[in-house]
Amino acid sequence: MNKELAVFLKELENFGVANDQQMKDKSKRMRNVTPETGRFLSFIATTTQARNILEIGTSNGYSTLWLAESVSENDGHVTTLEFLASKAELAKSNFEKAKMSKWIDLIVMNASEYIHKVESNTVDMIFLDSDRKEYVEWWGDLSRILKKNGLIVVDNVISHSNELQDFYILVSNDENYKTIKLPIESGLLLLTKK
């Protein structure tokens, strides 16, 4: 990672923590992944040579930049979905400041609408960090768009295990996937398509 991006990510990290400590309205919190989770996302995307990544839940773009850093090395692309226009504007500004916009496509849209239109077997990696109660409904399309040997990473699988219980049961019983939970920060669930 270049030094300029590393410094900017640290600034975003500090902003997210300060913002979330003072903000009572949950919709205005950034709720960024931790730096350790960001590094893991970049590492796993690089290791799997993911070129077409879909992120659901942009917020201010912190995790997106970690993913974009990995695809910038292999001429790949990150498509990130954000439902709130205010957060999307903040993310867009951050992508420009980080000089990473050319590897990122930011879409302000309901995720279920977007993923329903994506071609089958076209996505290498999906990062889910959004409205957890929607994941079960999205599963059919998420599974359809993911390539064979593709990877899905789900955040908050330990910290919000109650909210993700139905989703975890669903994917754990899907014979087309191998799953593993990792105790990294809030907990990550990794699924790979056989």
Side-chain angles (χ1 to χ4, degrees):
M1 176 179 295
N2 72 56
K3 186 177 180 181
E4 191 178 347
L5 180 58
V7 168
F8 187 68
L9 282 168
K10 184 66 178 171
E11 289 173 11
L12 278 186
E13 174 194 341
N14 293 338
F15 166 77
V17 169
N19 178 80
D20 291 3
Q21 286 174 344
Q22 67 182 5
M23 203 59 69
K24 294 195 187 317
D25 182 350
K26 282 187 177 183
S27 70
K28 294 183 179 175
R29 292 181 188 162
M30 298 300 110
R31 300 190 286 184
N32 292 328
V33 300
T34 64
E36 183 177 16
T37 299
R39 281 190 292 276
F40 178 80
L41 289 172
S42 182
F43 174 84
I44 201 78
T46 300
T47 303
T48 60
Q49 298 181 342
R51 296 186 71 237
N52 185 10
I53 298 176
L54 173 63
E55 175 186 49
I56 302 179
T58 312
S59 187
N60 64 340
Y62 180 74
S63 55
T64 318
L65 289 170
W66 282 104
L67 292 166
E69 192 268 336
S70 68
V71 297
S72 69
E73 298 172 3
N74 67 10
D75 213 20
H77 201 77
V78 177
T79 300
T80 185
L81 307 178
E82 177 54 54
F83 185 71
L84 296 174
S86 58
K87 285 189 177 179
E89 281 301 313
L90 184 55
K92 181 180 177 187
S93 174
N94 287 333
F95 300 155
E96 290 168 359
K97 288 176 187 172
K99 299 179 180 140
M100 298 295 284
S101 296
K102 72 178 183 177
W103 292 286
I104 301 167
D105 188 13
L106 172 62
I107 298 173
V108 184
M109 183 182 225
N110 180 291
S112 60
E113 286 179 47
Y114 179 83
I115 60 176
H116 189 67
K117 297 175 183 177
V118 176
E119 285 185 47
S120 299
N121 305 307
T122 56
V123 179
D124 298 308
M125 178 177 167
I126 299 170
F127 177 49
L128 287 178
D129 190 19
S130 183
D131 189 354
R132 292 172 284 274
K133 64 182 179 288
E134 302 287 339
Y135 294 178
V136 169
E137 180 187 328
W138 296 345
W139 179 242
D141 279 324
L142 293 173
S143 183
R144 177 185 59 76
I145 67 177
L146 191 68
K147 290 179 179 177
K148 183 179 179 182
N149 299 316
L151 179 69
I152 297 176
V153 181
V154 184
D155 196 20
N156 303 116
V157 74
I158 294 172
S159 63
H160 293 77
S161 59
N162 288 344
E163 292 177 36
L164 285 165
Q165 184 175 4
D166 291 343
F167 180 73
Y168 181 71
I169 291 168
L170 174 68
V171 299
S172 296
N173 290 319
D174 191 322
E175 295 179 357
N176 296 310
Y177 285 83
K178 289 183 180 179
T179 63
I180 186 169
K181 276 187 191 179
L182 298 178
I184 296 173
E185 298 296 332
S186 298
L188 295 173
L189 174 65
L190 274 61
L191 303 95
T192 187
K193 190 174 186 179
K194 297 179 188 176

mmCIF file of all heavy atoms in Angstrom, residues 24-56:
data_model
loop_
_atom_site.group_PDB
_atom_site.id
_atom_site.type_symbol
_atom_site.label_atom_id
_atom_site.label_comp_id
_atom_site.label_asym_id
_atom_site.label_seq_id
_atom_site.Cartn_x
_atom_site.Cartn_y
_atom_site.Cartn_z
ATOM 1 N N LYS A 24 -25.789 10.061 18.147
ATOM 2 C CA LYS A 24 -26.829 9.214 18.723
ATOM 3 C C LYS A 24 -27.680 8.553 17.637
ATOM 4 O O LYS A 24 -28.150 7.435 17.806
ATOM 5 C CB LYS A 24 -27.722 10.042 19.646
ATOM 6 C CG LYS A 24 -26.992 10.568 20.879
ATOM 7 C CD LYS A 24 -27.957 11.059 21.914
ATOM 8 C CE LYS A 24 -27.333 11.740 23.092
ATOM 9 N NZ LYS A 24 -26.166 11.169 23.661
ATOM 10 N N ASP A 25 -27.875 9.232 16.521
ATOM 11 C CA ASP A 25 -28.655 8.708 15.399
ATOM 12 C C ASP A 25 -27.821 7.656 14.659
ATOM 13 O O ASP A 25 -26.810 7.976 14.030
ATOM 14 C CB ASP A 25 -29.026 9.863 14.464
ATOM 15 C CG ASP A 25 -29.876 9.426 13.279
ATOM 16 O OD1 ASP A 25 -30.028 8.206 13.057
ATOM 17 O OD2 ASP A 25 -30.381 10.316 12.572
ATOM 18 N N LYS A 26 -28.246 6.380 14.728
ATOM 19 C CA LYS A 26 -27.477 5.284 14.125
ATOM 20 C C LYS A 26 -27.270 5.463 12.622
ATOM 21 O O LYS A 26 -26.247 5.060 12.081
ATOM 22 C CB LYS A 26 -28.177 3.944 14.383
ATOM 23 C CG LYS A 26 -27.963 3.404 15.755
ATOM 24 C CD LYS A 26 -28.539 2.004 15.861
ATOM 25 C CE LYS A 26 -28.251 1.431 17.235
ATOM 26 N NZ LYS A 26 -28.724 0.054 17.370
ATOM 27 N N SER A 27 -28.245 6.068 11.945
ATOM 28 C CA SER A 27 -28.125 6.228 10.493
ATOM 29 C C SER A 27 -27.004 7.201 10.116
ATOM 30 O O SER A 27 -26.547 7.207 8.976
ATOM 31 C CB SER A 27 -29.452 6.711 9.893
ATOM 32 O OG SER A 27 -29.708 8.048 10.283
ATOM 33 N N LYS A 28 -26.551 8.021 11.069
ATOM 34 C CA LYS A 28 -25.484 8.982 10.797
ATOM 35 C C LYS A 28 -24.124 8.494 11.275
ATOM 36 O O LYS A 28 -23.123 9.173 11.089
ATOM 37 C CB LYS A 28 -25.824 10.332 11.424
ATOM 38 C CG LYS A 28 -27.038 10.961 10.758
ATOM 39 C CD LYS A 28 -27.336 12.317 11.308
ATOM 40 C CE LYS A 28 -28.550 12.910 10.584
ATOM 41 N NZ LYS A 28 -28.978 14.172 11.148
ATOM 42 N N ARG A 29 -24.104 7.315 11.882
ATOM 43 C CA ARG A 29 -22.828 6.721 12.273
ATOM 44 C C ARG A 29 -22.175 6.082 11.049
ATOM 45 O O ARG A 29 -22.853 5.570 10.176
ATOM 46 C CB ARG A 29 -23.032 5.660 13.359
ATOM 47 C CG ARG A 29 -23.480 6.244 14.679
ATOM 48 C CD ARG A 29 -23.632 5.159 15.709
ATOM 49 N NE ARG A 29 -24.251 5.686 16.914
ATOM 50 C CZ ARG A 29 -24.818 4.937 17.840
ATOM 51 N NH1 ARG A 29 -24.846 3.620 17.716
ATOM 52 N NH2 ARG A 29 -25.356 5.496 18.903
ATOM 53 N N MET A 30 -20.850 6.071 11.042
ATOM 54 C CA MET A 30 -20.116 5.466 9.929
ATOM 55 C C MET A 30 -20.059 3.944 10.084
ATOM 56 O O MET A 30 -20.089 3.215 9.106
ATOM 57 C CB MET A 30 -18.691 6.030 9.837
ATOM 58 C CG MET A 30 -18.629 7.532 9.565
ATOM 59 S SD MET A 30 -19.418 8.023 8.017
ATOM 60 C CE MET A 30 -20.864 8.880 8.604
ATOM 61 N N ARG A 31 -19.911 3.480 11.285
ATOM 62 C CA ARG A 31 -19.841 2.038 11.601
ATOM 63 C C ARG A 31 -18.861 1.310 10.677
ATOM 64 O O ARG A 31 -19.169 0.276 10.098
ATOM 65 C CB ARG A 31 -21.225 1.404 11.572
ATOM 66 C CG ARG A 31 -22.158 2.058 12.576
ATOM 67 C CD ARG A 31 -23.438 1.326 12.751
ATOM 68 N NE ARG A 31 -24.321 1.521 11.623
ATOM 69 C CZ ARG A 31 -25.545 1.041 11.559
ATOM 70 N NH1 ARG A 31 -26.036 0.333 12.534
ATOM 71 N NH2 ARG A 31 -26.295 1.262 10.496
ATOM 72 N N ASN A 32 -17.671 1.897 10.562
ATOM 73 C CA ASN A 32 -16.636 1.323 9.704
ATOM 74 C C ASN A 32 -16.108 0.016 10.265
ATOM 75 O O ASN A 32 -16.143 -0.217 11.472
ATOM 76 C CB ASN A 32 -15.460 2.298 9.568
ATOM 77 C CG ASN A 32 -15.818 3.532 8.786
ATOM 78 O OD1 ASN A 32 -16.638 3.499 7.886
ATOM 79 N ND2 ASN A 32 -15.192 4.648 9.129
ATOM 80 N N VAL A 33 -15.579 -0.820 9.377
ATOM 81 C CA VAL A 33 -14.864 -2.004 9.828
ATOM 82 C C VAL A 33 -13.615 -1.534 10.573
ATOM 83 O O VAL A 33 -13.185 -0.384 10.420
ATOM 84 C CB VAL A 33 -14.474 -2.934 8.653
ATOM 85 C CG1 VAL A 33 -15.705 -3.418 7.906
ATOM 86 C CG2 VAL A 33 -13.478 -2.285 7.712
ATOM 87 N N THR A 34 -13.027 -2.415 11.347
ATOM 88 C CA THR A 34 -11.789 -2.072 12.045
ATOM 89 C C THR A 34 -10.624 -2.122 11.053
ATOM 90 O O THR A 34 -10.738 -2.757 9.994
ATOM 91 C CB THR A 34 -11.516 -3.069 13.178
ATOM 92 O OG1 THR A 34 -11.312 -4.362 12.592
ATOM 93 C CG2 THR A 34 -12.665 -3.102 14.185
ATOM 94 N N PRO A 35 -9.498 -1.496 11.395
ATOM 95 C CA PRO A 35 -8.321 -1.582 10.512
ATOM 96 C C PRO A 35 -7.887 -3.034 10.278
ATOM 97 O O PRO A 35 -7.484 -3.385 9.168
ATOM 98 C CB PRO A 35 -7.251 -0.795 11.259
ATOM 99 C CG PRO A 35 -8.013 0.128 12.145
ATOM 100 C CD PRO A 35 -9.278 -0.587 12.514
ATOM 101 N N GLU A 36 -7.985 -3.872 11.309
ATOM 102 C CA GLU A 36 -7.604 -5.277 11.148
ATOM 103 C C GLU A 36 -8.500 -5.963 10.108
ATOM 104 O O GLU A 36 -8.022 -6.712 9.263
ATOM 105 C CB GLU A 36 -7.678 -6.012 12.483
ATOM 106 C CG GLU A 36 -7.213 -7.448 12.372
ATOM 107 C CD GLU A 36 -7.205 -8.192 13.695
ATOM 108 O OE1 GLU A 36 -7.817 -7.732 14.669
ATOM 109 O OE2 GLU A 36 -6.591 -9.269 13.754
ATOM 110 N N THR A 37 -9.808 -5.671 10.182
ATOM 111 C CA THR A 37 -10.736 -6.247 9.193
ATOM 112 C C THR A 37 -10.436 -5.692 7.805
ATOM 113 O O THR A 37 -10.459 -6.431 6.818
ATOM 114 C CB THR A 37 -12.195 -5.971 9.601
ATOM 115 O OG1 THR A 37 -12.448 -6.578 10.867
ATOM 116 C CG2 THR A 37 -13.171 -6.516 8.580
ATOM 117 N N GLY A 38 -10.131 -4.405 7.715
ATOM 118 C CA GLY A 38 -9.772 -3.803 6.429
ATOM 119 C C GLY A 38 -8.553 -4.474 5.815
ATOM 120 O O GLY A 38 -8.542 -4.805 4.624
ATOM 121 N N ARG A 39 -7.525 -4.676 6.638
ATOM 122 C CA ARG A 39 -6.317 -5.350 6.147
ATOM 123 C C ARG A 39 -6.635 -6.772 5.691
ATOM 124 O O ARG A 39 -6.118 -7.249 4.676
ATOM 125 C CB ARG A 39 -5.230 -5.362 7.229
ATOM 126 C CG ARG A 39 -4.487 -4.049 7.355
ATOM 127 C CD ARG A 39 -3.272 -4.160 8.259
ATOM 128 N NE ARG A 39 -3.647 -4.373 9.650
ATOM 129 C CZ ARG A 39 -3.978 -3.413 10.510
ATOM 130 N NH1 ARG A 39 -3.978 -2.151 10.095
ATOM 131 N NH2 ARG A 39 -4.303 -3.680 11.745
ATOM 132 N N PHE A 40 -7.503 -7.466 6.451
ATOM 133 C CA PHE A 40 -7.880 -8.827 6.072
ATOM 134 C C PHE A 40 -8.611 -8.827 4.724
ATOM 135 O O PHE A 40 -8.336 -9.668 3.872
ATOM 136 C CB PHE A 40 -8.760 -9.470 7.146
ATOM 137 C CG PHE A 40 -9.217 -10.851 6.766
ATOM 138 C CD1 PHE A 40 -8.375 -11.939 6.922
ATOM 139 C CD2 PHE A 40 -10.474 -11.048 6.215
ATOM 140 C CE1 PHE A 40 -8.777 -13.207 6.545
ATOM 141 C CE2 PHE A 40 -10.889 -12.318 5.834
ATOM 142 C CZ PHE A 40 -10.035 -13.405 5.998
ATOM 143 N N LEU A 41 -9.549 -7.892 4.542
ATOM 144 C CA LEU A 41 -10.281 -7.810 3.269
ATOM 145 C C LEU A 41 -9.326 -7.602 2.104
ATOM 146 O O LEU A 41 -9.452 -8.255 1.060
ATOM 147 C CB LEU A 41 -11.303 -6.673 3.315
ATOM 148 C CG LEU A 41 -12.527 -6.876 4.197
ATOM 149 C CD1 LEU A 41 -13.327 -5.586 4.293
ATOM 150 C CD2 LEU A 41 -13.395 -8.015 3.677
ATOM 151 N N SER A 42 -8.386 -6.694 2.268
ATOM 152 C CA SER A 42 -7.417 -6.423 1.209
ATOM 153 C C SER A 42 -6.554 -7.657 0.947
ATOM 154 O O SER A 42 -6.308 -8.025 -0.208
ATOM 155 C CB SER A 42 -6.545 -5.229 1.592
ATOM 156 O OG SER A 42 -5.636 -4.930 0.564
ATOM 157 N N PHE A 43 -6.131 -8.310 2.024
ATOM 158 C CA PHE A 43 -5.296 -9.501 1.899
ATOM 159 C C PHE A 43 -6.026 -10.617 1.166
ATOM 160 O O PHE A 43 -5.495 -11.221 0.233
ATOM 161 C CB PHE A 43 -4.867 -9.974 3.295
ATOM 162 C CG PHE A 43 -4.118 -11.269 3.288
ATOM 163 C CD1 PHE A 43 -2.751 -11.287 3.038
ATOM 164 C CD2 PHE A 43 -4.766 -12.473 3.520
ATOM 165 C CE1 PHE A 43 -2.054 -12.486 3.014
ATOM 166 C CE2 PHE A 43 -4.070 -13.673 3.497
ATOM 167 C CZ PHE A 43 -2.710 -13.681 3.247
ATOM 168 N N ILE A 44 -7.266 -10.894 1.583
ATOM 169 C CA ILE A 44 -8.017 -12.005 0.995
ATOM 170 C C ILE A 44 -8.393 -11.708 -0.463
ATOM 171 O O ILE A 44 -8.379 -12.589 -1.309
ATOM 172 C CB ILE A 44 -9.246 -12.385 1.856
ATOM 173 C CG1 ILE A 44 -9.704 -13.822 1.550
ATOM 174 C CG2 ILE A 44 -10.402 -11.450 1.692
ATOM 175 C CD1 ILE A 44 -8.880 -14.880 2.184
ATOM 176 N N ALA A 45 -8.691 -10.445 -0.752
ATOM 177 C CA ALA A 45 -9.008 -10.070 -2.141
ATOM 178 C C ALA A 45 -7.776 -10.221 -3.026
ATOM 179 O O ALA A 45 -7.865 -10.692 -4.166
ATOM 180 C CB ALA A 45 -9.532 -8.641 -2.198
ATOM 181 N N THR A 46 -6.610 -9.843 -2.501
ATOM 182 C CA THR A 46 -5.366 -9.989 -3.248
ATOM 183 C C THR A 46 -5.011 -11.459 -3.431
ATOM 184 O O THR A 46 -4.655 -11.899 -4.524
ATOM 185 C CB THR A 46 -4.209 -9.255 -2.532
ATOM 186 O OG1 THR A 46 -4.547 -7.870 -2.428
ATOM 187 C CG2 THR A 46 -2.899 -9.400 -3.287
ATOM 188 N N THR A 47 -5.127 -12.228 -2.353
ATOM 189 C CA THR A 47 -4.766 -13.645 -2.379
ATOM 190 C C THR A 47 -5.625 -14.436 -3.363
ATOM 191 O O THR A 47 -5.126 -15.316 -4.069
ATOM 192 C CB THR A 47 -4.897 -14.260 -0.967
ATOM 193 O OG1 THR A 47 -4.064 -13.523 -0.071
ATOM 194 C CG2 THR A 47 -4.485 -15.710 -0.942
ATOM 195 N N THR A 48 -6.915 -14.118 -3.409
ATOM 196 C CA THR A 48 -7.821 -14.830 -4.317
ATOM 197 C C THR A 48 -7.816 -14.232 -5.725
ATOM 198 O O THR A 48 -8.499 -14.733 -6.604
ATOM 199 C CB THR A 48 -9.268 -14.823 -3.779
ATOM 200 O OG1 THR A 48 -9.717 -13.462 -3.650
ATOM 201 C CG2 THR A 48 -9.367 -15.533 -2.439
ATOM 202 N N GLN A 49 -7.058 -13.146 -5.898
ATOM 203 C CA GLN A 49 -6.962 -12.430 -7.171
ATOM 204 C C GLN A 49 -8.338 -11.992 -7.676
ATOM 205 O O GLN A 49 -8.633 -12.044 -8.875
ATOM 206 C CB GLN A 49 -6.233 -13.280 -8.218
ATOM 207 C CG GLN A 49 -4.811 -13.587 -7.818
ATOM 208 C CD GLN A 49 -4.067 -14.405 -8.844
ATOM 209 O OE1 GLN A 49 -4.642 -15.036 -9.713
ATOM 210 N NE2 GLN A 49 -2.744 -14.377 -8.745
ATOM 211 N N ALA A 50 -9.172 -11.561 -6.744
ATOM 212 C CA ALA A 50 -10.509 -11.075 -7.100
ATOM 213 C C ALA A 50 -10.388 -9.829 -7.962
ATOM 214 O O ALA A 50 -9.703 -8.883 -7.599
ATOM 215 C CB ALA A 50 -11.301 -10.778 -5.839
ATOM 216 N N ARG A 51 -11.067 -9.841 -9.094
ATOM 217 C CA ARG A 51 -11.032 -8.694 -10.006
ATOM 218 C C ARG A 51 -12.368 -7.965 -10.052
ATOM 219 O O ARG A 51 -12.428 -6.793 -10.405
ATOM 220 C CB ARG A 51 -10.628 -9.140 -11.411
ATOM 221 C CG ARG A 51 -9.215 -9.697 -11.447
ATOM 222 C CD ARG A 51 -8.733 -10.002 -12.839
ATOM 223 N NE ARG A 51 -8.488 -8.761 -13.556
ATOM 224 C CZ ARG A 51 -9.070 -8.449 -14.714
ATOM 225 N NH1 ARG A 51 -9.921 -9.265 -15.283
ATOM 226 N NH2 ARG A 51 -8.801 -7.308 -15.307
ATOM 227 N N ASN A 52 -13.443 -8.672 -9.738
ATOM 228 C CA ASN A 52 -14.774 -8.068 -9.747
ATOM 229 C C ASN A 52 -15.377 -8.259 -8.359
ATOM 230 O O ASN A 52 -15.855 -9.341 -8.026
ATOM 231 C CB ASN A 52 -15.643 -8.721 -10.826
ATOM 232 C CG ASN A 52 -16.993 -8.056 -10.960
ATOM 233 O OD1 ASN A 52 -17.238 -6.991 -10.393
ATOM 234 N ND2 ASN A 52 -17.892 -8.686 -11.683
ATOM 235 N N ILE A 53 -15.326 -7.204 -7.554
ATOM 236 C CA ILE A 53 -15.778 -7.270 -6.163
ATOM 237 C C ILE A 53 -17.054 -6.446 -6.009
ATOM 238 O O ILE A 53 -17.151 -5.333 -6.533
ATOM 239 C CB ILE A 53 -14.696 -6.736 -5.198
ATOM 240 C CG1 ILE A 53 -13.437 -7.608 -5.286
ATOM 241 C CG2 ILE A 53 -15.228 -6.684 -3.763
ATOM 242 C CD1 ILE A 53 -12.275 -7.114 -4.443
ATOM 243 N N LEU A 54 -18.005 -6.996 -5.278
ATOM 244 C CA LEU A 54 -19.234 -6.286 -4.935
ATOM 245 C C LEU A 54 -19.262 -6.086 -3.423
ATOM 246 O O LEU A 54 -19.134 -7.040 -2.664
ATOM 247 C CB LEU A 54 -20.462 -7.088 -5.366
ATOM 248 C CG LEU A 54 -21.823 -6.531 -4.914
ATOM 249 C CD1 LEU A 54 -22.084 -5.159 -5.535
ATOM 250 C CD2 LEU A 54 -22.940 -7.503 -5.265
ATOM 251 N N GLU A 55 -19.418 -4.837 -3.014
ATOM 252 C CA GLU A 55 -19.563 -4.507 -1.597
ATOM 253 C C GLU A 55 -20.969 -3.973 -1.387
ATOM 254 O O GLU A 55 -21.410 -3.083 -2.108
ATOM 255 C CB GLU A 55 -18.540 -3.439 -1.188
ATOM 256 C CG GLU A 55 -18.713 -2.968 0.244
ATOM 257 C CD GLU A 55 -17.800 -1.815 0.602
ATOM 258 O OE1 GLU A 55 -17.739 -0.821 -0.170
ATOM 259 O OE2 GLU A 55 -17.151 -1.893 1.655
ATOM 260 N N ILE A 56 -21.658 -4.519 -0.396
ATOM 261 C CA ILE A 56 -22.985 -4.003 -0.055
ATOM 262 C C ILE A 56 -22.889 -3.342 1.309
ATOM 263 O O ILE A 56 -22.705 -4.012 2.323
ATOM 264 C CB ILE A 56 -24.044 -5.124 -0.080
ATOM 265 C CG1 ILE A 56 -24.088 -5.783 -1.469
ATOM 266 C CG2 ILE A 56 -25.417 -4.553 0.288
ATOM 267 C CD1 ILE A 56 -25.087 -6.908 -1.600
#
